[in-house]
Amino acid sequence: MTETNAAAIGAARETQGDRRRALLWQIVDDYSLILIFIALFAVLSFTVQYFFSWDNVVGLALSVSQIGMVACTMMFCLASRDFDLSVGSTVAFAGVMCAIVSNATGSVVLGIAASLVAGALIGAINGVVIAKLKINALITTLATMEIVRGLAFITSQGQAVGVTSEAFFTLGALELFGLPVPVWITLACFVVFGVLLNKTIYGRNTLAIGGNPDAARLAGVAVDRVRIAIFLIQGVVAALAGIILASRMTSGQPNAGEGFELNVISACVLGGVSLMGGRASISGVLVGVLIMGTVQNAMSLMNIDAFYQYLVRGAILLIAVLVDQLKNRRQSR
């Protein structure tokens, strides 16, 4: 064997090794989160009493239903290099608005409609200020978070607003094929927004904006219009979550949804949505929501003090952000 042939064989083997490593990393990226959730669920099923019971599994699904539906739209915000800190306040305000309008008109339908319109208005304001006035998403949504929370307290006079109509409670308590309606609504959100992300121009434009806004604009994408649409839809879905939460709590409460936005963002980042934009996966977000809810549920069953639960949730978020940074660095090489 000549020296040239040996060098060629060595180069071919090195190339094959690089391909194997790249394939391995791709498999890790695609399936690691799912495998982690399966392993976590299996371990908790054998080690935590009542965790694997049907009532607890249904309760787990119900507890993450509002976070799940809002995470579907937060995914689009993060994928476009933005985020929305006002969703928790929108959840509270929508619940209060629904209760007040329902009581005043005697119509739950009008109450729901008013809340959805309010959510759309909040989202549209966020989108216009960010896209047209070029104000940072952090500052904009932090301001609307405070404003909308204040409106929730003002309109309710700082008190929980009860609803007299029994039909309002049905939305949160009704079951269909053994699962509560809020769980079915959340599953529908994952299907709808998964299709939007993967099968439509809207989803492709969102990822393009997150990847490189200037390049997307040069390619003919209406960047400002897409960003406004993302925040408008975010507001509507947050309002829907607020209506369902108020139905479950049997009243609109101005202090509802505190810390909600952080739980939603944590689930998205844990699910592989990049904080740098341009990368998102609806299946990853679903698994991220389930992991966050599973950990919370297990800690509650084990009677772990709430102070330690804060530590665990914070650690999970930090690990998710570190993993996201490592992925971005590896892809930039």
Side-chain angles (χ1 to χ4, degrees):
M1 182 181 296
T2 65
E3 187 175 328
T4 302
N5 289 338
I9 293 172
R13 287 176 178 173
E14 186 175 346
T15 301
Q16 285 183 333
D18 291 340
R19 288 175 181 170
R20 289 195 190 98
R21 283 191 290 271
L23 180 61
L24 180 61
W25 274 113
Q26 187 62 44
I27 293 173
V28 169
D29 283 344
D30 291 343
Y31 301 107
S32 60
L33 197 63
I34 297 175
L35 294 175
I36 288 172
F37 172 68
I38 292 174
L40 176 66
F41 194 88
V43 169
L44 292 176
S45 297
F46 286 106
T47 59
V48 179
Q49 191 176 17
Y50 307 121
F51 178 81
F52 195 59
S53 66
W54 174 251
D55 288 341
N56 185 66
V57 171
V58 172
L60 168 61
L62 185 60
S63 69
V64 300
S65 57
Q66 280 77 63
I67 292 175
M69 64 179 68
V70 179
C72 290
T73 47
M74 185 66 77
M75 173 186 67
F76 283 84
C77 285
L78 295 174
S80 63
R81 291 195 184 185
D82 290 317
F83 50 86
D84 189 352
L85 296 179
S86 68
V87 290
S89 297
T90 303
V91 164
F93 181 68
V96 168
M97 175 68 73
C98 186
I100 291 175
V101 174
S102 296
N103 290 340
T105 63
S107 171
V108 175
V109 174
L110 287 178
I112 293 174
S115 295
L116 294 178
V117 170
L121 183 60
I122 294 167
I125 291 172
N126 280 333
V128 169
V129 171
I130 292 168
K132 296 295 186 181
L133 302 183
K134 309 302 180 185
I135 297 179
N136 184 274
L138 171 65
I139 302 302
T140 300
T141 59
L142 187 62
T144 51
M145 177 182 75
E146 298 292 344
I147 292 169
V148 175
R149 181 71 67 178
L151 288 173
F153 278 101
I154 291 169
T155 53
S156 66
Q157 298 181 342
Q159 303 292 325
V161 182
V163 182
T164 56
S165 174
E166 290 291 333
F168 181 70
F169 308 139
T170 303
L171 184 62
L174 186 66
E175 289 191 357
L176 186 63
F177 302 115
L179 289 177
V181 167
V183 176
W184 288 111
I185 294 174
T186 302
L187 291 174
C189 285
F190 275 103
V191 172
V192 170
F193 288 106
V195 171
L196 284 176
L197 178 67
N198 297 310
K199 303 295 183 181
T200 67
I201 295 175
Y202 173 71
R204 289 194 292 271
N205 288 345
T206 298
L207 296 175
I209 292 170
N212 191 324
D214 294 331
R217 188 176 285 107
L218 291 173
V221 177
V223 174
D224 291 350
R225 190 183 306 167
V226 173
R227 293 175 79 187
I228 292 171
I230 288 171
F231 279 96
L232 189 151
I233 296 171
Q234 173 80 88
V236 172
V237 174
L240 176 61
I243 293 166
I244 294 173
L245 183 61
S247 175
R248 290 179 54 200
M249 300 172 71
T250 69
S251 63
Q253 301 194 16
N255 61 349
E258 291 183 344
F260 185 85
E261 57 282 336
L262 298 181
N263 290 332
V264 171
I265 293 173
S266 298
C268 288
V269 174
L270 183 61
V273 182
S274 176
L275 292 173
M276 302 299 293
R279 189 177 73 239
S281 163
I282 191 68
S283 60
V285 172
L286 174 60
V287 177
V289 169
L290 291 175
I291 288 177
M292 293 291 293
T294 298
V295 171
Q296 179 74 37
N297 179 264
M299 289 191 296
S300 298
L301 288 175
M302 291 187 291
N303 294 319
I304 294 177
D305 193 278
F307 302 135
Y308 294 102
Q309 294 185 26
Y310 282 115
L311 289 176
V312 172
R313 289 200 299 268
I316 291 174
L317 176 59
L318 181 59
I319 292 171
V321 172
L322 289 174
V323 171
D324 177 64
Q325 291 297 316
L326 291 173
K327 286 182 179 179
N328 289 330
R329 289 175 185 173
R330 190 175 70 252
Q331 292 177 353
S332 64
R333 290 176 183 173

